[in-house]
């Protein structure tokens, strides 16, 4: 027997329960009944907070999207050479993804069956385009290689960053956010290959 | 009214129908009824070919895994400096992923609810470890940067490669396989940043 607990939820805390359920069951597979059980309050208590589950989805993906778009308004994303701005945006994307992990996870799983999902996909595409433009500007400056299609490069970089939601678990014995962000920035901009040792760093025998 | 068509399936063609349905509905969400409808033959005709849907899953993920593990047996993956072998394996992973797109897509979505799924996850982990070892060997040779955790680097590279299943569509106006493979290899090994122009490639004014 489950006893409904007293409704002490704020919009924030109810949202965090809903996002967890959406990520576990999928948005389509989640009913108000599931949300009520997970939150431990009645359905009518949930309706006191929100109009329905689509409003919860809308708030959750908005939080992820606001985090991502917020990056583009930060000073280092607006001022300076395009290559520096691009590097800053890539690092901040990893930080926002990890900082808002369940919300970004939900955003990345959105498929487009409802108005809210279609709107979220549209906003994601806008964000992708903004970053692709930055990449093209950096290529035009000669700071980023020009021998690669900008859209393809953006997709691959986003693919790498977004894949972090598949394995990153906060608070575990795993890596801290800055370690992951550093690795992504290095890999994306410098690649895996060791820089050829120049004369200054050569450690060969100096007879 | 649907009329069951004559069963002219081979194990191969039936598998390709099943994989399509699994990818659309999810393996858990697919019943023998769904498979029967998609194939246009009766359930008993399907049972003539296979013991059940788990056997179809097992054959499908085996095809993807055989493709991936097959790479490691190829000469260029076995002979030569670790960095060259790693580069070869990364390129071939993209080619196998695109060549066996529906099978690898299914493999990447496996979650571990059945014995077959747990076995597939175990095999994927084995493959990941084999590539991570190659990366560590290349780092020990000094050909791959040593300032990055090998497991993290492997995860990020796999994340980039695996993300291709989200957007690559064969036969469209999109990119050909070799273009995607080239871009991945460049990005993974050299990164986005332009190499600093050396004297030989400088195109500044030579007064």
């Amino acid at each position: 027997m489950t006893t409904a607990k007293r409704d002490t939820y704020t919009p924030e805390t109810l949202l965090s329960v809903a996002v967890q359920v959406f990520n576990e069951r999928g948005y389509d597979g989640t009913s108000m009944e599931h949300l009520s059980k997970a939150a431990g309050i009645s359905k009518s208590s949930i309706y006191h907070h929100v109009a329905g589950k689509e409003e919860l989805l809308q708030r959750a993906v908005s939080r992820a999207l606001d985090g991502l778009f917020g990056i583009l308004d930060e000073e280092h994303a607006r001022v300076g050479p395009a290559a520096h701005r691009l590097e800053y945006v890539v690092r901040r994307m990893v930080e926002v993804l990890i900082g808002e992990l369940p919300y970004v996870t939900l955003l990345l799983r959105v498929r487009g069956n409802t108005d809210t999902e279609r709107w979220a996909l549209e906003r994601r595409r806008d964000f992708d385009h903004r970053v692709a433009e930055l990449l093209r500007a950096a290529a035009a400056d000669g700071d980023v290689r020009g021998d690669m299609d900008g859209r393809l490069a953006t997709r691959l970089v986003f693919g790498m960053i977004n894949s972090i939601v598949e394995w990153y678990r906060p608070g575990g014995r795993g890596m801290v956010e800055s370690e992951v962000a550093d690795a992504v920035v290095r890999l994306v901009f410098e690649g895996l290959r060791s820089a050829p040792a120049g004369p200054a760093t050569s450690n060969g025998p100096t007879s």
Side-chain angles (χ1 to χ4, degrees), chain A residues 100-121:
Chain A
E100 302 284 356
L101 195 63
Y103 300 91
V104 178
T105 302
L106 183 64
L107 175 67
L108 295 176
R109 290 186 185 163
V110 151
R111 281 297 164 257
N113 296 323
T114 61
D115 283 346
T116 298
E117 288 170 276
R118 281 185 288 271
W119 166 82
L121 285 175

Side-chain angles (χ1 to χ4, degrees), chain A residues 129-187:
Chain A
H129 288 158
R130 297 279 299 272
V131 179
E133 271 169 30
L134 206 47
L135 193 143
R136 275 190 285 268
D141 291 346
D143 293 330
V144 155
R145 57 194 311 152
D147 61 353
M148 205 183 283
D149 179 79
R151 192 157 159 63
L152 175 55
T154 310
R155 274 179 164 152
L156 293 172
V157 171
F158 274 69
M160 178 186 282
I161 295 173
N162 292 342
S163 74
I164 295 169
V165 304
E166 303 297 333
W167 56 266
Y168 189 86
R169 293 298 166 264
R173 295 158 304 141
M175 296 139 199
V176 293
E177 180 187 296
S178 61
E179 194 183 347
V180 181
D182 282 349
V184 169
V185 168
R186 275 187 211 144
L187 209 45

Side-chain angles (χ1 to χ4, degrees), chain A residues 5 14 16 18 25 35 38-39 43 51 70 73 76 81 93 107 129 143 145 153 155 164 169 194 196 199 201 206:
Chain A
K5 66 177 182 183
L14 181 62
S16 104
R25 313 188 63 96
L35 293 175
K43 280 194 268 183
D73 292 331
H76 293 296
M93 278 178 69
L107 175 67
H129 288 158
D143 293 330
R145 57 194 311 152
R155 274 179 164 152
I164 295 169
R169 293 298 166 264
S194 299
T201 58
T206 49

Side-chain angles (χ1 to χ4, degrees), chain A residues 3 17 20 22 24 42 59 94 99 103 109 115 121 126 129 139 142 158 183 187:
Chain A
T3 318
V17 173
Q20 204 182 327
F22 289 156
E24 278 167 21
S42 67
R59 287 198 199 172
V94 177
Y103 300 91
R109 290 186 185 163
D115 283 346
L121 285 175
D126 286 349
H129 288 158
F158 274 69
L187 209 45

